[in-house]
Amino acid sequence: MFTGIVEERGEIVAREDLDQAARFSIRGPLVTSDAAYGDSIAVNGVCLTVVEHADGIFTVDVMAETLRRSSLADLSPGAPVNLERAMAADGRFGGHIVQGHVDGVGTIASISPTPNWTVVRIGLPADLERYVVEKGSITLDGTSLTVSAVGAGDDGPWLEVSLIPTTLAETTLGLAEVGSPVNLEVDVIAKYVERLTGAGTSRQEKGE
């Protein structure tokens, strides 16, 4: 499990395309400082397993399903990535519950700087709209953020987040441009609530 508090901005140093998979080597001196084989590290919000590590670089294998459901398929050497180690049991819970399981990919629709923060609007896949609420939590490329606004337009539903200078400086969101893809993970609690209430309604309808 993760919290969405990005520990460092790493970099893709190598990519090897395999049969229905890809192997990435990623530079991340901080997250590899205590890494071991089999550890979990979130890369742009995707939970991946360390298969090799040395000299501040770790290697992960990414299967076709993950490539299809996330923006990792678009990454090439030189690309910056957000990195976070799995949460330690005695650590502070600074963000929210983040599983590292991407629900979909959004697209940055607009970036509006102000003197003290930047408002970013992201086009939201229609099937995720029901899980996103104003003042709720959302994970964007592995970064835990608060939804500042939601809405819908001719191009479909959208959400907005307001980014402080620290977030812009320490994560890949500060380098993103209009049109950039963003990995989205909605609040897992919303999905469980939907599942439970839906199952309850179904049993009642059946007279169980």
Side-chain angles (χ1 to χ4, degrees):
M1 188 181 75
F2 306 90
T3 69
I5 303 301
V6 173
E7 294 187 275
E8 70 176 321
R9 194 163 64 192
E11 181 185 357
I12 303 294
V13 296
R15 171 176 177 158
E16 179 184 2
D17 289 311
L18 308 170
D19 183 20
Q20 300 188 53
R23 173 167 286 196
F24 291 93
S25 293
I26 303 166
R27 180 177 291 107
L30 176 59
V31 298
T32 58
S33 62
D34 60 353
Y37 175 83
D39 281 356
S40 294
I41 295 178
V43 179
N44 276 2
V46 182
C47 178
L48 298 173
T49 301
V50 175
V51 297
E52 295 176 4
H53 70 92
D55 301 323
I57 295 174
F58 67 100
T59 301
V60 293
D61 290 324
V62 185
M63 59 185 174
E65 172 75 1
T66 304
L67 293 172
R68 183 176 67 84
R69 289 182 173 270
S70 74
S71 65
L72 296 188
D74 300 325
L75 295 180
S76 58
V81 287
N82 293 326
L83 302 176
E84 182 192 355
R85 289 169 289 188
M87 179 184 176
D90 61 349
R92 287 190 173 90
F93 206 141
H96 72 283
I97 298 173
V98 176
Q99 296 181 297
H101 302 160
V102 172
D103 293 301
V105 178
T107 303
I108 294 181
S110 65
I111 301 174
S112 304
T114 73
N116 298 303
W117 67 86
T118 295
V119 177
V120 179
R121 177 174 293 189
I122 297 166
L124 188 65
D127 61 337
L128 298 182
E129 179 183 15
R130 63 186 181 276
Y131 302 117
V132 181
V133 297
E134 186 174 346
K135 303 306 179 186
S137 296
I138 189 77
T139 307
L140 305 182
D141 275 351
T143 308
S144 173
L145 295 165
T146 300
V147 177
S148 57
V150 294
D154 294 338
D155 295 328
W158 52 263
L159 66 88
E160 287 183 348
V161 292
S162 298
L163 306 180
I164 62 174
T166 297
T167 303
L168 294 171
E170 301 294 333
T171 74
T172 60
L173 297 176
L175 303 174
E177 301 175 344
V178 172
S180 295
V182 182
N183 289 328
L184 303 172
E185 181 183 332
V186 300
D187 191 340
V188 65
I189 295 175
K191 292 191 288 185
Y192 278 122
V193 169
E194 178 187 62
R195 178 69 172 174
L196 290 169
T197 57
T201 300
S202 177
R203 288 196 296 271
Q204 291 173 4
E205 290 174 349
K206 293 178 181 179
E208 296 179 0

